[in-house]
Amino acid sequence: NRFCAQGDLFCLEWTISSTTITMTMSSTVTGWVAVGFTDISGKMGPSDVYFGWLDTSGTPQLSDRTNGAGYVQNAPDAQQDGQVQSASISGGRLSVTFTRALDTGDAADDRVITDGMNVIWAAGTNTPTDPTATISYHQNRGFTTIDFLSGVPPVSPTPAPSPSPPPSPPPSPTPPLAGVNRFCAQGDLFCLEWTISSTTITMTMSSTVTGWVAVGFTDISGKMGPSDVYFGWLDTSGTPQLSDRTNGAGYVQNAPDAQQD
């Protein structure tokens, strides 16, 4: 079985025996790669995460860790429940294969592998120095839901030809109005539409998540900062609100900019 995201920037392949699962996580980002099983869809934690990499001596490494509810990265778990099988970098792609029990019995931090699991993934550019080291900030990340036991259809950037008719494509988001540019992600979970005049841009950001929505412009692809971010919402009185803020290089959220642009 196979799942890929952002083309083939990250891929996860797996096979299941009666009591174990063997996973190969791979990425075009070659410092480290990780997959995790989280309690809340799209959230980094609480979650059970496996980080893998090929160290500078060519030795495969795997670190089983637990993310809390925040962004604080925890040390390796006391009970390491993943067994690394191999790791390689070939053709600009890092691949790490490991095996773990479907149910490790480690109630302190592990999730039982089953269907309908909330999965997070990430990849970073800096190779960790050792299995207990702090893992560098991710270059790319994402989330999905996977039926590990029943499987999901393989998702490949270059699928092999099939003699059977191709499946019907999923419904597309509602097309934009004429003259309006549009980008959508994860179906239409987030959409951005824009029009440009000679000196200004008018944007409409929308989401099926209805608390607030934001768009930002960052110096480094995939990084939260440094960036210029616009948060928008409808307050409880029905008044539209917009806050222009600046993200630094980390996760610290800054106050509104002195000049609201």
Side-chain angles (χ1 to χ4, degrees), residues 9 34 55 137 155 202 223 228 246:
L9 187 146
D55 70 17
Y137 182 72
V155 178
T202 299
K223 296 283 189 180
D228 175 30
T246 302

Side-chain angles (χ1 to χ4, degrees), residues 48-71:
D48 173 31
V49 185
Y50 294 84
F51 293 85
W53 64 94
L54 190 69
D55 70 17
T56 53
S57 71
T59 303
Q61 300 288 353
L62 187 76
S63 185
D64 176 13
R65 304 190 181 200
T66 302
N67 278 349
Y71 287 110

Side-chain angles (χ1 to χ4, degrees), residues 4-144:
C4 287
Q6 298 182 29
D8 62 351
L9 187 146
F10 172 85
C11 288
L12 182 68
E13 299 178 7
W14 69 95
T15 57
I16 290 181
S17 72
S18 58
T19 59
T20 62
I21 183 169
T22 298
M23 299 187 182
T24 297
M25 47 188 179
S26 64
S27 178
T28 54
V29 181
T30 58
W32 57 266
V33 64
V35 65
F37 314 107
T38 183
D39 293 350
I40 305 170
S41 177
K43 295 287 189 180
M44 289 182 65
S47 61
D48 173 31
V49 185
Y50 294 84
F51 293 85
W53 64 94
L54 190 69
D55 70 17
T56 53
S57 71
T59 303
Q61 300 288 353
L62 187 76
S63 185
D64 176 13
R65 304 190 181 200
T66 302
N67 278 349
Y71 287 110
V72 177
Q73 182 181 134
N74 292 344
D77 295 345
Q79 179 176 315
Q80 290 289 295
D81 295 305
Q83 294 80 46
V84 66
Q85 305 298 319
S86 64
S88 65
I89 298 176
S90 178
R93 189 171 195 86
L94 169 65
S95 297
V96 179
T97 299
F98 70 96
T99 299
R100 58 152 277 183
L102 296 176
D103 184 353
T104 65
D106 186 1
D109 52 56
D110 274 341
R111 276 64 175 170
V112 177
I113 300 296
T114 184
D115 281 346
M117 294 199 74
N118 297 318
V119 176
I120 53 174
W121 62 266
T125 55
N126 296 327
T127 303
T129 55
D130 63 71
T132 63
T134 298
I135 307 295
S136 66
Y137 182 72
H138 51 67
Q139 180 75 18
N140 298 86
R141 64 185 175 92
F143 65 93
T144 189

Side-chain angles (χ1 to χ4, degrees), residues 190-192 201-206 212-218 224 227-233 241-247 253-257 259-261:
F190 171 85
C191 288
L192 180 69
I201 183 170
T202 299
M203 300 186 187
T204 298
M205 47 189 179
S206 62
W212 57 265
V213 65
V215 65
F217 313 104
T218 183
M224 289 182 65
S227 61
D228 175 30
V229 186
Y230 294 84
F231 294 84
W233 64 96
Q241 300 288 350
L242 186 75
S243 184
D244 176 14
R245 305 191 180 202
T246 302
N247 277 350
Q253 182 181 128
N254 293 344
D257 296 345
Q259 179 178 318
Q260 290 289 296
D261 296 309

